[in-house]
Amino acid sequence: MASSSSNLISLKTSDGTVFKVERALAKTMKTVQAIIEEADANIYMIPIHNVFSHHMDMIIDYYKLSVAGKSKEFSVEKLDNDELKDFLLAVHYLNMEDLFEVLTQAVADRLEKKSVGYVRKYFGIENDFTPEEYAAIRKKNDWAFKGDDIEPEEDEEKQEE
Amino acid sequence: MKSIQIRIFSVVCSPSLSTNRRNLIGTLTSLPTLPLDLIIEILSRLPVKQLLQLRCVCKLWKSLISDSKFAKKHLHLSTTYTLHGIDNQNYYSKHVLKSYSLNSSVSIAQIHLPSNGYVRFLGSCNGVLCLGEEEDGGDLFLVRLWNPSIRKFKELPPVRKPHSYHLGMSGFGYNPISDNYKVVVVLLPSDNVEDNGNYFSENEVKVHTLGTDSWKSVSVFPFAGVFVQQLGQYVSGTINWLVCTDIMQGQYFIASVDLGKESYQKVLLPDDSGEVDNYILRLSVFRDCLCLIFGEDVWVMKEYGNKESWIKLFTISYVRDHHCTSSCYIIHPTYIFEDDRVLLSCGSYRECIDGTWKHISYRCNCKNGTSKFIEFEHMLEVCIESLISPCHLSNARM
């Protein structure tokens, strides 16, 4: 296994910033770990292509909190939906198990109890049912659309963020 | 050379683009789109009711959410429990199955069971309840599966019991080795009622494997004793019942059947469990492990079958002077949930004698010292929320 004698690994983000991170943090990124292990010689700098410096900042925040046993304090509330999805993709690319779970749960929390229309828009999905098919499937699951905790169904046209 | 390979690898695998790169490259997509495997991860963390709605999103999602592999993944992550009770109020009228969330005594759903006789639970596993109905005056016991979260029913072949036998114990569980479900019933001769209707030296055991069209008799329980709980607890491919061999001496063990091998095993209780009393001993499941509740102490068997792996996890202390509990003669926990919520089984002196216990859901907020009690009408069965459909439980090819 290639290893530099120092305890810091250099990661270069897509926007050209170099982060020197602890080896232990780099180990939580399975993608990076695989690159290190496959390299014949010492790697000076590992490029992480789908990751930007603002992602790395948050990753380092999370790492510091989890090392201090305070991973529950990590919050992504300030991120809007697109920023959160973006961050999730970066963490997915880096293959970081714990943070990935935190982020998928955060997205699920934001989507919980939202309507079909909202979820479609969130994922950018087209409704490929014919009106008849849609009416049929909607009717079949009708009971699932009722109840106090369900947000009212929205029209396709008027969506809220 | 190596670094170029890495660049190609990363571009191919993650096609989404952030705002910055979109401006540079000028792509068609305006929002980061998530690949299907990420969507699956997110969906498997959503509640069942919403997922049923989301089947309307598009054709792909309809088949995805109906897929049994997805149901298994969702089950694995599911932490929502619901409670169910059977209202057998009027013997001659239809029975009502009432479902509750843990937070309120107002039922979230009620269904009428098409039944003519007495209905009871036979077991619960992976979000599916197994119900049994004693045919009025007949030899047949009707059996059904019901997933209350997705409201799907499946009728199973009825089990025939020998004349003058009654249904003693039962269980419903999953066999991970053959990826299949089984129902187990233990039939007991009815003339033993002088001791206790649950005494089982003489017995008949029948098993139904889902996907087959009949019940088969398997070897009888090789031990003798009295079953303390009728409903078997499902834990990793086994069904377990608490058995008492000597009530005076407080001798207990756990009788277990392995659903794969259809063989029996005696599982022993921890040694230093203290004085044991029938009223306060309860077998349950917690975090997929066998759980023994001794009064207020909760023990968990970390390694199934290994007596040395029992550890005392914690002690439950609940406020006794709340109006719900102050009139109770007997009160003890029967099920532990993750979020510090406990299901308590209680009864006044009268109710204990009549056998009409009821359940109370109790939650203690240790930080601010508040507690919340919710009283339910009757005894309840716990069921996890899942998408597992009773209609697609067997992988047997007929």
Side-chain angles (χ1 to χ4, degrees):
Chain A
M1 178 177 142
S3 56
S4 58
S5 48
S6 88
N7 270 331
L8 297 178
I9 307 271
S10 291
L11 301 174
K12 186 173 180 183
T13 58
S14 291
D15 48 355
T17 317
V18 178
F19 287 82
K20 283 195 163 66
V21 301
E22 283 175 36
R23 188 171 280 276
L25 169 51
K27 267 201 159 144
T28 68
M29 305 173 181
K30 292 199 181 130
T31 308
V32 167
Q33 194 60 19
I35 294 172
I36 295 175
E37 284 171 12
E38 274 177 27
D40 296 330
N42 287 338
I43 281 197
Y44 282 119
M45 185 105 65
I46 297 167
I48 42 175
H49 284 281
N50 293 288
V51 184
F52 283 77
S53 42
H54 57 272
H55 297 142
M56 271 311 294
D57 289 333
M58 291 191 280
I59 288 170
I60 290 169
D61 280 345
Y62 176 76
Y63 175 72
K64 285 187 183 153
L65 282 172
S66 58
V67 156
K70 295 180 185 171
S71 48
K72 291 214 163 111
E73 287 178 24
F74 182 73
S75 162
V76 288
E77 261 173 39
K78 57 186 187 309
L79 298 179
D80 70 26
N81 284 340
D82 288 340
E83 288 166 342
L84 178 55
K85 272 187 271 184
D86 205 45
F87 187 30
L88 174 61
L89 282 163
V91 169
H92 181 53
Y93 164 73
L94 288 173
N95 199 346
M96 306 178 70
E97 226 171 272
D98 291 347
L99 188 50
F100 180 72
E101 264 214 43
V102 167
L103 296 183
T104 44
Q105 187 63 54
V107 175
D109 290 344
R110 287 192 190 194
L111 291 176
E112 197 177 319
K113 295 178 186 169
K114 291 287 192 283
S115 69
V116 171
Y118 183 97
V119 173
R120 244 193 230 124
K121 188 169 182 205
Y122 186 92
F123 289 106
I125 293 174
E126 291 272 337
N127 177 5
D128 58 353
F129 286 117
T130 66
E132 295 80 30
E133 285 169 341
Y134 183 80
I137 190 175
R138 180 73 173 74
K139 187 176 171 193
K140 191 173 165 200
N141 292 299
D142 200 40
W143 66 270
F145 285 87
K146 297 191 166 79
D148 294 331
D149 55 345
I150 308 295
E151 275 195 10
E153 182 84 51
E154 283 160 348
D155 267 4
E156 291 302 303
E157 282 75 50
K158 39 184 172 87
Q159 296 294 331
E160 51 172 5
E161 258 317 87
Chain B
M1 187 61 195
K2 273 267 179 232
S3 56
I4 295 169
Q5 283 176 341
I6 292 163
R7 278 199 192 97
I8 293 170
F9 167 85
S10 65
V11 166
V12 163
C13 279
S14 286
S16 90
L17 304 160
S18 73
T19 329
N20 294 341
R21 294 183 72 201
R22 175 190 30 135
N23 288 336
L24 291 169
I25 299 167
T27 111
L28 296 167
T29 56
S30 55
L31 297 166
T33 54
L34 301 182
L36 187 62
D37 59 337
L38 278 196
I39 292 181
I40 290 172
E41 285 296 327
I42 294 163
L43 290 184
S44 25
R45 288 164 166 84
L46 289 176
V48 170
K49 204 167 181 186
Q50 185 176 14
L51 285 172
L52 294 176
Q53 294 184 5
L54 295 181
R55 291 177 60 204
C56 297
V57 163
C58 66
K59 288 180 181 173
L60 174 64
W61 281 38
K62 181 183 171 205
S63 57
L64 172 69
I65 293 170
S66 313
D67 182 54
S68 58
K69 281 205 200 81
F70 178 75
K72 279 184 184 161
K73 188 179 174 69
H74 180 271
L75 170 69
H76 193 62
L77 292 163
S78 180
T79 53
T80 309
Y81 289 87
T82 45
L83 305 170
H84 309 271
I86 299 175
D87 215 335
N88 271 311
Q89 270 174 347
N90 189 335
Y91 189 84
Y92 298 103
S93 74
K94 284 205 171 140
H95 299 85
V96 179
L97 177 62
K98 291 186 176 172
S99 303
Y100 305 85
S101 75
L102 293 179
N103 302 312
S104 162
S105 59
V106 175
S107 65
I108 54 177
Q110 295 193 69
I111 60 148
H112 287 272
L113 301 168
S115 57
N116 294 313
Y118 182 77
V119 181
R120 57 182 261 193
F121 289 112
L122 297 182
S124 152
C125 172
N126 291 352
V128 178
L129 294 167
C130 185
L131 304 165
E133 182 191 332
E134 187 119 26
E135 215 187 26
D136 196 12
D139 290 338
L140 284 184
F141 216 89
L142 307 175
V143 183
R144 315 182 169 95
L145 297 179
W146 169 245
N147 181 333
S149 310
I150 62 174
R151 301 199 186 175
K152 285 240 148 87
F153 241 118
K154 180 162 175 72
E155 197 86 34
L156 297 183
V159 58
R160 189 167 292 277
K161 58 182 172 71
H163 191 58
S164 85
Y165 271 62
H166 64 276
L167 185 69
M169 277 49 64
S170 59
F172 172 59
Y174 174 68
N175 175 16
I177 299 180
S178 60
D179 187 28
N180 207 341
Y181 288 79
K182 291 186 182 181
V183 188
V184 177
V185 297
V186 181
L187 303 163
L188 306 173
S190 303
D191 44 312
N192 267 351
V193 276
E194 95 252 355
D195 276 314
N196 188 315
N198 287 343
Y199 181 70
F200 68 99
S201 66
E202 207 185 312
N203 64 81
E204 264 205 44
V205 182
K206 294 199 175 186
V207 172
H208 171 74
T209 302
L210 258 65
T212 63
D213 58 359
S214 62
W215 292 75
K216 68 172 202 268
S217 284
V218 298
S219 51
V220 301
F221 264 95
F223 346 102
V226 173
F227 283 99
V228 174
Q229 282 161 239
Q230 284 194 310
L231 237 60
Q233 300 297 308
Y234 166 72
V235 170
S236 3
T238 63
I239 297 189
N240 303 268
W241 294 270
L242 191 59
V243 173
C244 177
T245 47
D246 187 334
I247 199 164
M248 293 300 170
Q249 301 278 329
Q251 301 281 343
Y252 290 81
F253 70 92
I254 294 164
S256 113
V257 63
D258 178 309
L259 291 174
K261 301 178 206 140
E262 289 172 5
S263 61
Y264 303 100
Q265 187 189 353
K266 229 184 202 181
V267 175
L268 301 172
L269 269 58
D271 278 329
D272 48 345
S273 38
E275 239 180 58
V276 175
D277 178 337
N278 199 15
Y279 280 123
I280 63 162
L281 190 56
R282 175 87 190 186
L283 187 65
S284 180
V285 178
F286 182 64
R287 289 179 191 157
D288 297 324
C289 291
L290 261 188
C291 168
L292 254 177
I293 306 174
F294 278 99
E296 288 158 13
D297 291 340
V298 178
W299 291 71
V300 159
M301 185 178 238
K302 287 272 166 187
E303 196 194 312
Y304 184 80
N306 179 359
K307 180 178 132 165
E308 311 309 322
S309 71
W310 282 108
I311 60 163
K312 182 153 96 165
L313 264 193
F314 46 78
T315 301
I316 300 166
S317 51
Y318 41 78
V319 177
R320 257 196 170 274
D321 54 4
H322 189 277
H323 74 88
C324 272
T325 56
S326 55
S327 63
C328 289
Y329 177 67
I330 295 285
I331 172 172
H332 65 88
T334 58
Y335 203 97
I336 320 287
F337 300 100
E338 280 289 357
D339 56 349
D340 299 329
R341 197 183 290 271
V342 176
L343 198 61
L344 304 169
S345 184
C346 337
S348 63
Y349 188 71
R350 178 90 257 145
E351 284 162 345
C352 288
I353 303 206
D354 290 343
T356 55
W357 303 66
K358 58 178 186 285
H359 267 130
I360 290 178
S361 156
Y362 168 71
R363 182 159 190 216
C364 175
N365 187 329
C366 300
K367 291 188 196 126
N368 59 24
T370 60
S371 57
K372 194 176 177 194
F373 287 85
I374 297 166
E375 203 174 320
F376 295 97
E377 284 174 54
H378 25 236
M379 289 294 277
L380 302 166
E381 185 59 24
V382 177
C383 186
I384 197 168
E385 216 191 46
S386 86
L387 288 161
I388 307 275
S389 169
C391 310
H392 304 121
L393 285 189
S394 76
N395 52 10
R397 299 278 171 257
M398 298 288 289

